[in-house]
Amino acid sequence: GDLDKVVNLLLSLSGRLARVESALGSLGPHAPAEDKVALREKQRLLAAQLEDAKELKEHMGRREEAVGAMVARYLPAEHLQDYQHFIKMKSALIAEQRELEEKIKLGQEQLRCLRESL
């Protein structure tokens, strides 16, 4: 459960940071200074939160190793390999699911825009 939360947090923060950076890049030279300042502050805060989340992920990695060592004492080799595979695949699948959800949202937005333009 913690792995799900941390991976989702990392993906959420990196996505939000990318959107803020995109918004900053799309601001024209005549954009209000307040908008630029607000976006830069948001970018700074998101970058700091992302670094904190990465540290949390590293801590979880250390904890995962400790749990893995304990589990290794009690599981036969075959079950241990299954457990290790499950742990590795879980975060990859969460990331893939999140990416697919983002693509679906983007596709729905594009479809809505196309319908409105017709």
Side-chain angles (χ1 to χ4, degrees), residues 61-81:
R62 291 188 297 274
R63 191 174 83 183
E64 179 184 324
E65 288 176 19
V67 169
M70 255 192 331
V71 168
R73 288 186 229 152
Y74 298 101
L75 288 180
E78 181 181 307
H79 290 110
L80 180 61
Q81 287 177 344

Side-chain angles (χ1 to χ4, degrees), residues 42-54:
K42 193 170 190 175
Q43 179 187 31
R44 186 189 65 75
L45 289 172
L46 286 169
Q49 290 174 341
L50 185 59
E51 286 304 312
D52 290 344
K54 286 178 181 178

Side-chain angles (χ1 to χ4, degrees), residues 23-104:
L24 267 172
S26 67
L27 284 179
H30 303 295
E34 305 88 44
D35 291 352
K36 290 179 183 179
V37 169
L39 283 172
R40 284 192 184 113
E41 179 62 16
K42 193 170 190 175
Q43 179 187 31
R44 186 189 65 75
L45 289 172
L46 286 169
Q49 290 174 341
L50 185 59
E51 286 304 312
D52 290 344
K54 286 178 181 178
E55 288 178 21
L56 184 59
K57 175 86 165 87
E58 290 174 11
H59 172 71
M60 290 220 23
R62 291 188 297 274
R63 191 174 83 183
E64 179 184 324
E65 288 176 19
V67 169
M70 255 192 331
V71 168
R73 288 186 229 152
Y74 298 101
L75 288 180
E78 181 181 307
H79 290 110
L80 180 61
Q81 287 177 344
D82 290 343
Y83 168 79
Q84 291 169 338
H85 178 72
F86 170 77
I87 295 298
K88 287 179 185 175
M89 291 304 298
K90 186 167 180 137
S91 60
L93 290 173
I94 292 168
E96 186 176 341
Q97 178 185 7
R98 186 68 176 250
E99 184 180 328
L100 290 172
E101 288 170 354
E102 290 293 322
K103 286 181 180 180
I104 288 170

Side-chain angles (χ1 to χ4, degrees), residues 1 6 10-11 28 30 38 83 101 112:
V6 171
L10 284 166
L11 293 171
H30 303 295
Y83 168 79
E101 288 170 354
R112 183 184 51 79

